[in-house]
Amino acid sequence: MDHDDELVGTMLSRREAIRVAALAGASLVFGPASAQATGQLHPAKVMNLVATSEVEEGPFFVDEELNRSDVTLGTTRGSVVDGSPIAVRLTVYGLRGKHTEPLRGAHIDIWHADAKGAYSDEASNLIQSESTKGEKWLRGYQVTDGDGRVEFRTIFPGWYQNRTPHIHVKIRNFDPKANRTHVFNTQLFFDEAVNDEMLNRAPYNDRGARRVRNLWDGLYAMKQADGTMVGSHLHFSVDKSPAGVVQRAHFAIGLNLS
């Protein structure tokens, strides 16, 4: 069973509907309360869609203006080069009223901690004991293609004080005159089973057992209006090797442009 078939046969949440459509290369058209997906998905599947939850930018964004797909470049740092490599694919859909379509030409930045839980280009502080000023690893942006997609080569993120593994995402959209029209920030997470598997491997386990789990992370656990935790709607879908190592992580973002 391939990745898409496994999901099509399930009852999809609204966020999952966007993700599955992105993986299948389907187009989406909003109805009064739901959306019909066309393309490679079953024609009878009706799916509800909502905008992706926004989460704060956090203190570690640096606008390096690095247009690159491989964000591991430019360093020999062991906690980067020895980290477990993953491909991160993000697909952005622009939501305008009752209609949606892949968002082309949006700038998507990602940034995250290395296997030791440190960020590049940061002074030492209460969270990060070492200075990495002037270094630019695990940061970069790409511009979405006609399908609203970007893909990055990076490593599985490490945990650090009070934070479970996560990847920051910033989306900036521009009008035809290059004026910025939208800015969106969120943070994407992994299921606990994935975290357990990856963080028990070297070099992540060199720090001993992790001390922060998803439910203990204050941003992950923030409650939405419906009482659910924000982070529960922001899990990557992952593809693993036969040995259980995460090789690819996927997420589709619904960006409200109304």
Side-chain angles (χ1 to χ4, degrees):
M1 178 181 294
D2 66 24
H3 187 78
D4 298 330
D5 289 342
E6 180 180 359
L7 289 166
V8 169
T10 66
M11 182 65 72
L12 301 179
S13 71
R14 288 175 288 182
R15 195 264 295 170
E16 287 172 332
I18 301 177
R19 174 168 55 80
V20 174
L23 292 173
S27 60
L28 299 168
V29 182
F30 271 72
S34 64
Q36 177 70 52
T38 61
Q40 297 179 33
L41 295 184
H42 191 283
K45 177 62 69 177
V46 176
M47 300 179 292
N48 296 319
L49 304 175
V50 295
T52 299
S53 301
E54 189 160 11
V55 180
E56 68 177 54
E57 175 186 277
F60 296 122
F61 176 66
V62 183
D63 198 359
E64 306 283 12
E65 299 184 355
L66 296 170
N67 186 345
R68 60 184 184 180
S69 59
D70 189 344
V71 300
T72 67
L73 296 175
T75 185
T76 59
R77 181 180 173 91
S79 49
V80 175
V81 298
D82 295 333
S84 188
I86 61 171
V88 172
R89 172 179 284 184
L90 303 173
T91 308
V92 183
Y93 287 94
L95 312 182
R96 298 181 186 274
K98 297 179 179 180
H99 299 282
T100 186
E101 61 183 5
L103 186 61
R104 181 175 186 172
H107 290 215
I108 303 185
D109 280 270
I110 68 165
W111 67 102
H112 63 85
D114 68 1
K116 293 174 58 177
Y119 287 84
S120 67
D121 210 2
E122 293 290 340
S124 59
N125 52 61
L126 293 175
I127 298 175
Q128 181 167 305
S129 61
E130 64 175 305
S131 174
T132 57
K133 292 295 290 182
E135 302 178 47
K136 301 181 185 299
W137 33 267
L138 304 185
R139 298 182 182 275
Y141 82 92
Q142 288 279 282
V143 180
T144 54
D145 63 15
D147 295 320
R149 291 179 178 175
V150 295
E151 186 163 309
F152 295 92
R153 291 179 59 192
T154 188
I155 63 168
F156 193 84
W159 64 275
Y160 55 94
Q161 180 181 336
N162 298 326
R163 296 306 314 274
T164 194
H166 61 282
I167 294 179
H168 296 262
V169 177
K170 179 188 287 289
I171 301 174
R172 288 176 277 195
N173 195 35
F174 301 87
D175 66 18
K177 295 183 179 180
N179 298 309
R180 191 170 65 192
T181 58
H182 295 86
V183 179
F184 172 83
N185 293 287
T186 197
Q187 300 180 28
L188 302 179
F189 303 89
F190 298 86
D191 291 337
E192 282 288 31
V194 171
N195 289 334
D196 286 340
E197 175 65 37
M198 298 301 292
L199 297 180
N200 283 331
R201 297 175 178 269
Y204 303 92
N205 61 0
D206 292 346
R207 306 169 62 199
R210 66 180 170 119
R211 297 187 293 276
V212 183
R213 304 189 72 82
N214 285 350
L215 297 183
W216 306 341
D217 183 307
L219 291 177
Y220 181 101
M222 285 191 308
K223 293 295 180 66
Q224 299 196 132
D226 63 1
T228 61
M229 289 181 289
V230 169
S232 68
H233 300 274
L234 297 170
H235 282 197
F236 280 109
S237 172
V238 301
D239 301 323
K240 300 180 182 179
S241 73
V245 177
V246 174
Q247 296 179 313
R248 287 173 294 276
H250 313 263
F251 195 90
I253 296 170
L255 183 61
N256 189 356
L257 301 179
S258 299

